[in-house]
């Protein structure tokens, strides 16, 4: 299978970096093809703005979605977005690897979604091509994340509430909206509070997840 890992941590030697490296190693060992976008490493532009559209449908007033539709149709996307789109089209499985920041993904990863999950590439809302008809239908996606807070705080009874519920804003209204089949998330909770041994045990669980792909 072709696996596309989007890695969003500013430090390559971080725990998230280790998890990404483990994924690459195991997936390759198991015969899969792997491509990575290290968003901080490539200094990925995180904001969708007018600069993305050198050739505008409407130069008078900036409507981001209309310009996205136009750029996809005319092949005028900037190269950094085009590179990501090609990896997305190539992939059978998309993995987003990130630390949880403010119970969400880091801004650079949200910016990747804003700029790469394009109309005409992942959905075509005007023609009803969303959810089961989404343009990424047939592909799968998974979240792999770490948190500072322990899992009890992110349980349905805990003060933060169930993180997997909060992440439906990604798994349902982004992934499933685009037609992607959602794989179970891998969450390594309470990263900073765990002993090294404990982290290693969690990493073993992640390896099992990867081996099941
Ligand atoms: C802006 C911001 C907002 C945040 N918001 C939230 C939030 O809303 N909710 C929340 O829960 N947390 C939050 N955090 C905390 C954040 O989620 C954690 O700091 C992050 O998930 C830890 O991942 P890391 O890759 O940075 O870990 P690292 O700091 O790199 O590592 C964490 C620990 O893992 C162990 N470790 C690292 N590598 C290995 C290895 N190879 N083998 C064994 N052990 C290892 C070490 O003990 C290390 O101390 C926030 C942090 C920031 C900066």
């Amino acid at each position: 299978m072709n696996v596309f890992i989007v890695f969003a941590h500013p430090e390559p030697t971080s725990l998230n970096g280790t998890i990404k490296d483990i994924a690459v190693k195991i997936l390759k060992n198991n015969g899969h093809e792997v491509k990575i976008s290290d968003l901080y490493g490539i200094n990925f532009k995180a904001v969708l703005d007018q600069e993305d559209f050198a050739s505008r449908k409407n130069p008078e007033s900036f409507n981001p979605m209309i310009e996205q539709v136009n750029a996809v149709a005319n092949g005028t996307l900037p190269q950094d977005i085009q590179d990501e789109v090609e990896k997305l089209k190539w992939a059978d499985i998309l993995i987003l690897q990130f630390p949880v920041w403010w119970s969400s993904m880091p801004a650079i990863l949200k910016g990747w979604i804003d700029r790469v999950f394009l109309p005409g590439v992942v959905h075509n809302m005007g023609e009803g091509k969303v959810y089961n008809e989404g343009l990424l239908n047939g592909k799968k996606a998974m979240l792999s994340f770490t948190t500072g807070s322990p899992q009890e705080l992110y349980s349905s009874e805990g003060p933060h509430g169930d993180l997997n519920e909060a992440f439906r804003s990604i798994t349902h209204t982004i992934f499933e909206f685009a037609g992607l089949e959602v794989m179970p998330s891998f969450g390594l909770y309470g990263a900073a509070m765990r002993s090294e041994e404990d982290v290693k045990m969690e990493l073993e669980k992640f390896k099992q997840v990867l081996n099941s792909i």
Side-chain angles (χ1 to χ4, degrees), residues 7 9-11 13-19 22 97-104 145-150 153-154 160 163 188-201 203:
F7 172 61
H9 194 294
E11 173 52 59
T13 64
S14 62
L15 179 58
N16 274 266
T18 301
I19 296 172
I22 287 172
Q97 179 64 53
F98 61 97
V100 169
W101 285 358
W102 291 109
S103 294
S104 186
F145 59 83
T146 64
T147 72
S149 300
L153 299 192
Y154 272 121
H160 300 337
L163 191 54
L188 201 163
Y189 289 84
M193 297 171 183
R194 288 175 182 263
S195 68
E196 209 175 303
E197 278 312 300
D198 213 12
V199 171
K200 282 189 177 140
M201 273 169 54
L203 294 178

